[in-house]
Amino acid sequence: MNPDFLAHSGKTLLAGVIGWPVAHSQSPRLHAYWLAERGIDGAYLPLAVPPGGLEAAVRGLPALGFRGANVTIPYKEAVIPLLDRVSPVARRIGAVNTLIVEADGTISGTNTDAEGFIENLRDRAPAWRPDRPVAVLGAGGAARAVCAALLQAGVPELRLFNRTLEKAERLAQALGPDFAAPIRALPLAAADWAKAAPDLGLAVNTTSLGMTGHPPLDLDLGCLPADAVVADIVYNPLRTPFLAAAENRGLATVDGLGMLLFQARAGFAAWFGQTPEVTPDLRAFVLRGLGT
Ligand code: NAP
């Protein structure tokens, strides 16, 4: 370990991730990589904020000289009323994951998950075009960002599957007014999937199915077109059973790690003044942190 790098000066640029718990977050590792790569006098810290402490923590950021912070579970929605400004994309998604302390000490919030998802998709599946219907599986917090990203990219129709149909219907209603493309809410059931799959250009898993310790997402991928792309935002494990089934069928696949890496770029640029790159070396470094 290089002590020069850890001996922070009075000018050290500070950021971190606010959550509870935060020990599982890969963000400190990922930002440490970029800070070291670029030789920036900066630090990015895990900030474990217990329940009831969010307002004091957020208000303390400017006082402590922080340039900003990421916000993770369970505070992505609760932080919104504490901010001076919230970007249109964060309003649309209903969650903030990135805080920026402005020069005047006010705090702006935005959400970078949607751009993280779409930039990773374009990076890993460059042949994909938003010219055919897409399926999003799941209607939880992450699905909101994925749906917003795909609608913003111009897909002609979004088919939103969820075990709890009412949640998919609520999300469709929330996003519908902002976009021209139709959003159809469907139950996550084999028969509905079989009917919807044959003309899809892309299917994305945003459920927690396939995560280590969870059952797999079990859908027949045989009815997808041969040139469809299959994406999973779960990244632990990197090769989920859903992606393995798609690969076995010869389909192009996109794993979830890149979304995490790409969503971090905008925050890093705002806090530390340089726009970093997502490289194979960074992917390998973060994967080692996941124990993969
Ligand atoms: P969430 O808000 O809790 O939503 C969970 C979703 O999974 C819901 O749609 C839920 O359906 C569905 N689900 C859970 N168990 C299910 C089951 N047994 N059968 C069918 N559906 C089931 O979680 P989230 O924040 O959206 O996160 C979802 C996943 O995305 C997690 O694995 C998370 O790690 C990953 N993620 C990745 C990134 C990235 O950067 N790559 C970013 C954010 C999240 P119901 O509505 O019916 O409960």
Side-chain angles (χ1 to χ4, degrees), residues 73 76-77 113 116-117 120 137-144 161-165 167-168 188 205-211 214-217 232-236 255-261 263:
I73 289 169
K76 286 184 177 189
E77 289 93 19
D113 281 335
F117 172 75
N120 181 50
L137 312 164
R144 296 181 76 95
F161 290 83
N162 200 44
R163 173 180 62 177
T164 311
L165 181 60
K167 256 169 84 178
L188 186 58
N205 175 41
T206 75
T207 73
S208 39
L209 294 172
M211 261 176 94
H214 293 245
L217 171 60
D232 204 325
I233 70 161
V234 170
Y235 54 80
N236 203 355
D255 68 56
L257 183 62
M259 175 176 172
L260 179 76
L261 307 181
Q263 67 75 31

Side-chain angles (χ1 to χ4, degrees), residues 79-129:
V79 76
I80 291 177
L82 305 175
L83 304 177
D84 298 295
R85 243 160 274 102
V86 175
S87 71
V89 66
R91 288 249 178 251
R92 181 176 289 152
I93 294 168
V96 158
N97 74 343
T98 304
L99 306 182
I100 296 162
V101 177
E102 309 288 356
D104 64 0
T106 59
I107 305 176
S108 302
T110 190
N111 190 307
T112 63
D113 281 335
E115 70 189 65
F117 172 75
I118 207 80
E119 284 177 14
N120 181 50
L121 178 64
R122 292 193 191 284
D123 183 58
R124 310 292 284 185
W128 178 78
R129 297 282 176 275

